[in-house]
Amino acid sequence: MAETWEDKVAPVRRQREASLAKVQPPLGKLPETLPLNSRNLPKELLTDREIELTEKCTVKQLLARLRSRSVSVEEVTRAFLRRAAVAQAAVNCLTEVLWDQAIERAKYLDSLPEPKGELFGLPISTKEHHGMKGSDITSNASYVAWIGSKHRSIQLYDILWDAGCVFFARTAQPQTIMHLETNSNIYGRTLNPYNRDLTPGGSSGGESALIGMRGSIMGVGGDIGGSIRCPAAHCGIYGFKPTCKRIPSGGQRTHMIGKEAILSTLGPMAADRDALELFVQTVMAAEPWLLDPSLTFKPWVPHKFDRPLRVAVQWWDGVVQPHPPMTRALKEVSAACRAAGMEIVDWDCEQLDHKKAWDIIASLYWPDAGDEVLGRLKSVGEPVLLLTKFIIEEQPSVKKLSMHELWERTAEREAYRDFYARAWTNTAAQDGKEVDVILCPPSFGAATPHDQSKYWGYTAQWNLLDYPGVVFPVTTVDPVKDPRDESYVPKNEQDKFCFEMYSPERYKNAPVSLQIVGRRNHDEKVLAALREIEAALGRS
Amino acid sequence: MAETWEDKVAPVRRQREASLAKVQPPLGKLPETLPLNSRNLPKELLTDREIELTEKCTVKQLLARLRSRSVSVEEVTRAFLRRAAVAQAAVNCLTEVLWDQAIERAKYLDSLPEPKGELFGLPISTKEHHGMKGSDITSNASYVAWIGSKHRSIQLYDILWDAGCVFFARTAQPQTIMHLETNSNIYGRTLNPYNRDLTPGGSSGGESALIGMRGSIMGVGGDIGGSIRCPAAHCGIYGFKPTCKRIPSGGQRTHMIGKEAILSTLGPMAADRDALELFVQTVMAAEPWLLDPSLTFKPWVPHKFDRPLRVAVQWWDGVVQPHPPMTRALKEVSAACRAAGMEIVDWDCEQLDHKKAWDIIASLYWPDAGDEVLGRLKSVGEPVLLLTKFIIEEQPSVKKLSMHELWERTAEREAYRDFYARAWTNTAAQDGKEVDVILCPPSFGAATPHDQSKYWGYTAQWNLLDYPGVVFPVTTVDPVKDPRDESYVPKNEQDKFCFEMYSPERYKNAPVSLQIVGRRNHDEKVLAALREIEAALGRS
């Protein structure tokens, strides 16, 4: 009998189970019915010491302890391995744990006479389709057709490795790596740590769920339409999508290699803010452009503001009205910024045609109308998931482009980028003080119920423009503060779809995050603005 | 009777004649038979004062005189206008002179209470297909089908204008802007100032011929396969092709808009070296990325070497052996560099497969097999010139690509760029001292006889890699020093074609130039290396 796609998947799942079975000591018994909110599970299953190591310090604090050798790399690694196993049991975020490899690496680092590297001893989680260190590492990128394919380590991971990190867990991505959720035929559906009925976001939702559980405190995601920022926002963690070509992003196991009209970038996802800049500084210090000449040759120089920030607030994108808790977050943060002496202005998207931006980027995601990707699914009879259909087949602008049509679309993209740059530059017309950053939603609301993530506008806009964006947690949904606006009349079909999705009870206690966006290649400024804005919120 | 392509061309030529007829006082009578070498013609037709103003100082010296107002902008402008008219009579390099516009601009600048701008009063020549200031400016890019099309000013020229320059002459480009010569059905053939039987190069050969005649001392060219460097080399002037996306290059009247697998860049061509860096500094100081977000956000910071240069000499590219005077130039310059304390190593191209680079770039020049361009010629019955046929129809790798084939070719390009970067990085493997620049030919020889420019490898290699390259004059062909090597056995068809083209008498006194190439985005280093290497040659 011919092998079915399920036959191919079975050994991958067994391999995952086998990797988890190595975790020592084994986890205690989980509750029969898992709670809606998984965030307290680790306390029930881990030791106080493990809890202390995995959630009581920031990345920099942990690194300081590791460097001073007041804690061993092995002890820290074991704690995160066990906590990752809890996260997997709770929200299904992993493709495997690297028990043997991680402990071997930890022992090696402990054996060094002196700690070495900016990330000495830090456990880092990685997305499955990024090939990594290890002779037997395979990457399938959630394609059944690619199950079992060996894949080389990517340049970024070589750099992190050389900086002394420990790779210990690999995380799931959705089918085609092009959902804002995380669900695949191989690994199943990943859930939100705060609420099992909601998505952790995607495509780096394995990472966000794992870090949301503090089964990791630093990981790596990729973003071409929101895949770092959306999951970071939905899980209440930090995520940074740099401008493309700052961070080495080549070498992943992925599709449509050679397509360049819209590029993805790798970037950090972390439990705390300062870890983001540590990550990019560590990577840039390795001069990655020496081996990947497509990268921008530009060392990272932290930005310092010489005047109070001018922050533009995007209250909505002109297409879909954000849900009430998102609007409340914008109000709270902009009020705090104003109180801290910043200037707050409006970012008026109605003149900026974000709808058009979506039409352009959707078309350029799939200039072959998805033929390559859909062909790969079909080749092994892998079922096409609902959100795959949505992003390929249900977008009016997606069609098979001729060469000349590709050029036309690319020229439209360039014209739109020029248009937007002019609008930004014009903010300095009155007094020479340009808007520094845009404060905006990373999504129309908190994490959506499963299979409902059908509006990408709040993140993909900045991919089309190739603007850097960072996401940070602000608040959680509060039914008292965030009632549904019953008087609201949706302005279009997408607005109606998102509006009807909202009810405060459904989202209760879900994280609400905001996004800070800067001009292309102003990555340093975006992270500096995050520091300033968090300071205005009273965060150190 | 239907209008023929000749009917469309006639008014363009009349317009050119009319613009030249405005030149005052009119030029004296030219010799009945023009000499092979046109370089002495200006002395016969211009006043001593005009000669003095147009050829006795560098760009910076002229700017200093203009800024001090020891000479008026109008007087300088008139001198260059008249000298440009001589150049046109001699080598057919112009599409028009801008008599009225330039003198009006000059008078305006003279009327200012204070000189203003880095380029105050400097006459600058521009390539016809770059739209420019002036309400009635048309650009046809040498396509008969586009005759009479109005075209807007490009961002680069807005910047130069704001810096105080005077646009005074527009220069010719070849059909399709894709010959390494300059010949079109609209403007005819441009000749080399040193020898009418040779080409001035192309596609910016109107510029190189004009500057070679000192009918201009600074102009603007564009380069996607050698179009700045080849003509600069052939006419004994300086030309700089920056890394793409440093200099704003958008908005030109050109074909295949939206194609991005291989990009062109604008860059300076000038009578002296220091003008090149002045040009790029002036442009970068205007922060062009504010309006063109595709540009690299990276201010220009002149490079300073902190150790003697390590220069790699490319004696040949592994495909075509350079002609004897080119090899002599490499020997002379590398000897001078060594004498000045630099380290000279070999750049071994046989391991680097430059032939493959050509196959990739040729394919990516014309992913539609030239359909768009050939269709435009056909639409008005414009004859396809020999070098157009050569570059589109006679390249084995040029074919109509499907979307997936385009991705494959683009991925090959990326792999080749990575491979080359690794080779360069490996030069530091022994002692940590990486090769700073490659010293290499800009062509297999001096300027070729007409219609013989069929080997692009010495320039297009660096376009595929997107490496910056600068060309500088070294020597001239000397039949005594540069005999033909009768014992040489060509290694392939292209090598044979180029080898057979050489005889010392044919090229006697033609300029021989060299090229300095740096890593991608190391533009500042390339210009700094040029300074060092010219210092080694005893040039100030």
Side-chain angles (χ1 to χ4, degrees):
Chain A
M1 226 173 72
E3 196 185 34
T4 65
W5 71 266
E6 292 98 328
D7 295 336
K8 294 181 199 288
V9 164
V12 184
R13 295 201 178 172
R14 282 197 300 271
Q15 191 193 331
R16 173 163 69 176
E17 289 314 308
S19 81
L20 288 157
K22 292 188 175 177
V23 173
Q24 289 298 330
L27 300 182
K29 201 168 152 25
L30 272 74
E32 285 210 4
T33 307
L34 286 167
L36 196 65
N37 185 327
S38 308
R39 295 259 303 164
N40 286 323
L41 273 184
K43 288 197 185 61
E44 298 171 26
L45 296 162
L46 301 178
T47 66
D48 289 350
R49 175 69 172 168
E50 286 167 335
I51 293 292
E52 192 268 324
L53 287 174
T54 54
E55 70 176 55
K56 300 297 182 204
C57 46
T58 66
V59 168
K60 285 193 168 179
Q61 288 163 347
L62 183 59
L63 282 168
R65 291 171 69 180
L66 286 160
R67 202 171 295 120
S68 70
R69 297 199 144 160
S70 63
V71 62
S72 74
V73 179
E74 185 175 351
E75 189 181 11
V76 169
T77 299
R78 286 178 179 269
F80 276 103
L81 280 162
R82 288 194 83 234
R83 190 158 183 152
V86 175
Q88 171 59 18
V91 295
N92 189 39
C93 49
L94 299 183
T95 67
E96 63 181 325
V97 288
L98 301 167
W99 180 266
D100 294 334
Q101 179 181 334
I103 290 180
E104 182 192 341
R105 170 75 169 166
K107 284 180 194 289
Y108 165 75
L109 293 171
D110 283 330
S111 76
L112 293 177
E114 292 294 331
K116 217 177 91 184
E118 280 301 302
L119 305 179
F120 176 79
L122 184 70
I124 287 184
S125 49
T126 63
K127 211 170 162 184
E128 192 268 358
H129 75 107
H130 309 162
M132 56 176 295
K133 291 284 177 196
S135 58
D136 56 349
I137 288 294
T138 62
S139 287
N140 57 48
S142 294
Y143 285 107
V144 174
W146 281 345
I147 283 174
S149 296
K150 293 218 173 174
H151 199 69
R152 70 177 191 278
S153 174
I154 63 177
Q155 189 194 356
L156 176 62
Y157 290 0
D158 291 344
I159 292 171
L160 299 179
W161 182 266
D162 290 344
C165 80
V166 177
F167 295 127
F168 74 108
R170 303 178 74 198
T171 61
Q173 66 269 317
Q175 185 179 60
T176 73
I177 329 177
M178 285 291 281
H179 304 178
L180 290 184
E181 302 194 7
T182 300
N183 181 24
S184 74
N185 291 312
I186 302 179
Y187 300 109
R189 187 184 291 285
T190 306
L191 311 174
N192 191 302
Y194 288 80
N195 184 332
R196 307 177 66 73
D197 293 340
L198 304 178
T199 177
S203 67
S204 311
E207 279 301 326
S208 67
L210 179 64
I211 300 172
M213 292 292 293
R214 287 199 80 118
S216 168
I217 52 175
M218 190 193 269
V220 181
D223 195 315
I224 195 171
S227 284
I228 288 172
R229 293 159 294 151
C230 154
H234 288 0
C235 294
I237 66 167
Y238 292 80
F240 178 45
K241 178 201 86 68
T243 302
C244 288
K245 299 302 183 187
R246 296 296 303 270
I247 298 291
S249 301
Q252 304 162 44
R253 165 73 69 187
T254 188
H255 43 229
M256 299 190 281
I257 300 282
K259 181 174 85 72
E260 59 184 345
I262 298 292
L263 298 173
S264 69
T265 178
L266 301 180
M269 302 173 74
D272 66 85
R273 181 192 69 221
D274 291 342
L276 303 178
E277 193 147 7
L278 172 67
F279 178 99
V280 289
Q281 282 184 311
T282 302
V283 174
M284 298 283 181
E287 303 186 281
W289 44 81
L290 292 180
L291 292 181
D292 179 351
S294 74
L295 298 177
T296 304
F297 166 48
K298 185 173 177 169
W300 183 273
V301 181
H303 183 82
K304 288 203 195 321
F305 290 100
D306 54 10
R307 59 168 174 79
L309 274 73
R310 177 175 283 187
V311 176
V313 179
Q314 181 203 44
W315 298 101
W316 80 307
D317 71 349
V319 185
V320 164
Q321 187 67 46
H323 289 172
M326 190 60 78
T327 300
R328 176 170 60 83
L330 287 169
K331 282 182 186 164
E332 288 176 5
V333 174
S334 56
C337 289
R338 197 180 282 113
M342 299 181 203
E343 186 186 356
I344 305 296
V345 299
D346 291 335
W347 191 254
D348 180 5
C349 292
E350 302 200 43
Q351 308 305 313
L352 294 171
D353 206 353
H354 285 212
K355 170 75 170 59
K356 179 180 184 173
W358 174 251
D359 289 343
I360 296 170
I361 198 170
S363 171
L364 292 175
Y365 283 146
W366 314 102
D368 68 340
D371 276 3
E372 191 217 270
V373 156
L374 296 173
R376 185 167 306 110
L377 300 180
K378 202 173 166 187
S379 70
V380 290
E382 180 180 352
V384 181
L385 298 181
L386 188 141
L387 289 181
T388 303
K389 288 194 182 113
F390 162 76
I391 195 61
I392 300 179
E393 295 172 4
E394 294 170 19
Q395 300 308 313
S397 70
V398 172
K399 57 172 232 156
K400 195 178 289 197
L401 302 180
S402 70
M403 189 67 68
H404 292 178
E405 286 168 335
L406 173 68
W407 299 351
E408 281 164 29
R409 276 275 135 152
T410 305
E412 276 182 63
R413 182 202 69 195
E414 286 302 286
Y416 187 80
R417 287 175 174 175
D418 288 355
F419 160 76
Y420 218 92
R422 199 166 288 269
W424 196 311
T425 299
N426 281 345
T427 62
Q430 300 282 320
D431 57 5
K433 284 188 280 179
E434 186 176 281
V435 158
D436 291 301
V437 289
I438 302 173
L439 179 70
C440 54
S443 171
F444 55 88
T448 64
H450 300 302
D451 281 337
Q452 301 299 304
S453 298
K454 294 190 175 185
Y455 185 69
W456 293 32
Y458 282 99
T459 45
Q461 174 72 22
W462 315 118
N463 295 90
L464 181 73
L465 294 169
D466 194 23
Y467 288 0
V470 68
V471 158
F472 63 107
V474 173
T475 183
T476 54
V477 179
D478 178 340
V480 175
K481 293 180 180 167
D482 305 316
R484 186 174 160 116
D485 176 3
E486 297 297 347
S487 69
Y488 184 71
V489 181
K491 299 193 172 52
N492 54 61
E493 274 306 302
Q494 286 169 302
D495 197 24
K496 184 161 180 279
F497 175 81
C498 295
F499 173 73
E500 290 178 352
M501 207 184 298
Y502 186 69
S503 79
E505 284 307 324
R506 190 176 209 179
Y507 294 95
K508 188 177 169 183
N509 295 331
V512 176
S513 305
L514 289 180
Q515 178 176 209
I516 295 167
V517 164
R519 296 189 77 149
R520 182 164 178 271
N521 271 322
H522 286 60
D523 300 68
E524 291 86 343
K525 194 181 210 181
V526 165
L527 291 193
L530 174 60
R531 266 196 311 275
E532 299 275 331
I533 289 171
E534 288 217 326
L537 294 173
R539 301 177 184 174
S540 62
Chain B
M1 227 172 71
E3 196 183 34
T4 65
W5 71 266
E6 292 97 329
D7 295 336
K8 294 181 201 288
V9 164
V12 184
R13 296 201 176 172
R14 283 197 298 273
Q15 191 193 328
R16 172 163 70 176
E17 289 314 308
S19 81
L20 288 157
K22 290 188 175 176
V23 173
Q24 288 298 331
L27 300 182
K29 200 167 152 25
L30 272 74
E32 284 210 6
T33 308
L34 286 167
L36 196 65
N37 184 328
S38 307
R39 295 259 302 164
N40 286 323
L41 272 184
K43 289 197 183 63
E44 298 171 25
L45 295 162
L46 302 178
T47 65
D48 289 350
R49 175 68 172 167
E50 285 167 335
I51 294 292
E52 192 269 323
L53 287 173
T54 54
E55 70 175 55
K56 299 297 182 204
C57 45
T58 66
V59 167
K60 284 193 168 179
Q61 288 164 346
L62 182 60
L63 281 168
R65 291 170 69 180
L66 286 160
R67 202 170 294 120
S68 71
R69 295 198 146 161
S70 62
V71 60
S72 74
V73 179
E74 185 175 350
E75 190 183 10
V76 169
T77 300
R78 284 179 180 268
F80 277 103
L81 279 161
R82 287 195 81 233
R83 190 157 182 151
V86 175
Q88 171 58 19
V91 295
N92 189 40
C93 50
L94 299 183
T95 67
E96 64 182 323
V97 287
L98 302 167
W99 181 267
D100 294 336
Q101 179 182 334
I103 290 180
E104 182 192 336
R105 170 74 169 167
K107 284 181 195 286
Y108 164 77
L109 292 170
D110 283 329
S111 77
L112 293 176
E114 293 293 333
K116 219 177 89 184
E118 280 301 302
L119 305 179
F120 177 78
L122 184 70
I124 288 184
S125 50
T126 63
K127 210 170 163 184
E128 193 267 359
H129 76 107
H130 309 161
M132 55 175 296
K133 291 283 178 196
S135 58
D136 57 349
I137 288 294
T138 62
S139 287
N140 57 50
S142 295
Y143 285 109
V144 174
W146 281 346
I147 283 174
S149 296
K150 293 217 173 176
H151 200 69
R152 69 178 192 280
S153 175
I154 62 177
Q155 189 194 355
L156 176 63
Y157 289 0
D158 291 345
I159 292 170
L160 299 179
W161 182 266
D162 291 344
C165 80
V166 177
F167 294 128
F168 76 108
R170 302 177 74 198
T171 61
Q173 66 269 318
Q175 185 178 61
T176 72
I177 330 178
M178 284 292 282
H179 305 179
L180 291 184
E181 302 195 6
T182 301
N183 181 25
S184 75
N185 291 311
I186 303 180
Y187 300 110
R189 188 184 290 283
T190 305
L191 311 174
N192 191 304
Y194 289 80
N195 184 331
R196 308 177 67 71
D197 293 339
L198 303 178
T199 177
S203 70
S204 310
E207 280 300 326
S208 67
L210 178 65
I211 299 171
M213 292 290 294
R214 287 199 80 120
S216 168
I217 52 176
M218 189 193 270
V220 182
D223 195 315
I224 195 172
S227 283
I228 288 172
R229 291 159 295 151
C230 154
H234 288 359
C235 294
I237 67 168
Y238 292 80
F240 178 47
K241 179 201 87 68
T243 302
C244 288
K245 298 301 183 187
R246 296 296 303 268
I247 299 290
S249 301
Q252 305 162 42
R253 165 73 70 188
T254 189
H255 42 230
M256 300 189 281
I257 300 281
K259 181 175 84 72
E260 59 184 346
I262 298 292
L263 298 173
S264 69
T265 178
L266 301 180
M269 302 173 73
D272 66 84
R273 180 192 70 220
D274 291 344
L276 303 178
E277 193 147 9
L278 173 67
F279 178 100
V280 289
Q281 283 185 311
T282 302
V283 173
M284 298 283 182
E287 302 185 282
W289 45 79
L290 292 180
L291 293 182
D292 180 350
S294 75
L295 298 177
T296 304
F297 166 48
K298 185 172 177 170
W300 184 272
V301 181
H303 184 84
K304 288 203 197 319
F305 289 99
D306 54 10
R307 58 166 173 82
L309 273 72
R310 177 174 284 187
V311 176
V313 178
Q314 180 203 44
W315 297 101
W316 80 308
D317 71 349
V319 185
V320 164
Q321 187 66 46
H323 289 173
M326 189 60 77
T327 300
R328 176 169 60 84
L330 287 168
K331 283 182 185 163
E332 288 176 3
V333 174
S334 55
C337 289
R338 196 179 284 113
M342 299 180 203
E343 186 186 356
I344 305 296
V345 299
D346 291 335
W347 190 252
D348 179 5
C349 292
E350 301 200 46
Q351 308 305 314
L352 295 170
D353 206 353
H354 284 213
K355 169 73 170 59
K356 180 180 184 174
W358 173 251
D359 289 343
I360 296 170
I361 198 170
S363 171
L364 292 175
Y365 283 147
W366 314 102
D368 68 340
D371 276 3
E372 192 217 89
V373 155
L374 297 173
R376 186 169 305 111
L377 300 179
K378 200 173 170 189
S379 70
V380 290
E382 179 180 351
V384 181
L385 298 181
L386 187 141
L387 289 181
T388 304
K389 287 195 183 110
F390 162 76
I391 194 62
I392 300 179
E393 295 172 3
E394 295 169 18
Q395 299 309 313
S397 70
V398 172
K399 58 173 232 156
K400 195 177 290 195
L401 302 180
S402 70
M403 190 66 68
H404 293 177
E405 286 168 336
L406 173 69
W407 299 350
E408 282 163 28
R409 275 276 134 152
T410 305
E412 277 182 62
R413 182 202 69 194
E414 286 301 286
Y416 187 80
R417 288 175 175 176
D418 289 354
F419 160 76
Y420 218 92
R422 198 166 289 268
W424 195 310
T425 299
N426 281 346
T427 62
Q430 299 284 321
D431 58 4
K433 285 189 279 177
E434 187 176 280
V435 158
D436 291 301
V437 290
I438 303 173
L439 179 70
C440 55
S443 170
F444 55 87
T448 64
H450 301 301
D451 282 337
Q452 301 299 305
S453 297
K454 294 189 174 184
Y455 185 70
W456 293 33
Y458 282 99
T459 45
Q461 174 73 21
W462 315 117
N463 295 91
L464 181 73
L465 294 169
D466 194 23
Y467 287 1
V470 67
V471 157
F472 62 108
V474 172
T475 184
T476 53
V477 178
D478 178 338
V480 175
K481 294 180 180 166
D482 305 315
R484 186 175 159 114
D485 176 3
E486 298 298 348
S487 69
Y488 184 71
V489 181
K491 299 193 172 50
N492 54 61
E493 273 307 302
Q494 286 170 301
D495 196 24
K496 182 162 181 281
F497 174 81
C498 295
F499 173 72
E500 289 177 352
M501 207 185 297
Y502 187 69
S503 79
E505 285 307 324
R506 192 175 206 180
Y507 294 94
K508 188 177 170 183
N509 295 330
V512 177
S513 305
L514 289 180
Q515 180 175 208
I516 296 166
V517 165
R519 295 188 78 147
R520 182 164 179 270
N521 271 322
H522 286 59
D523 300 67
E524 291 85 343
K525 194 181 209 181
V526 165
L527 291 192
L530 174 61
R531 265 197 313 276
E532 299 276 331
I533 289 171
E534 287 217 326
L537 295 173
R539 301 177 186 175
S540 62

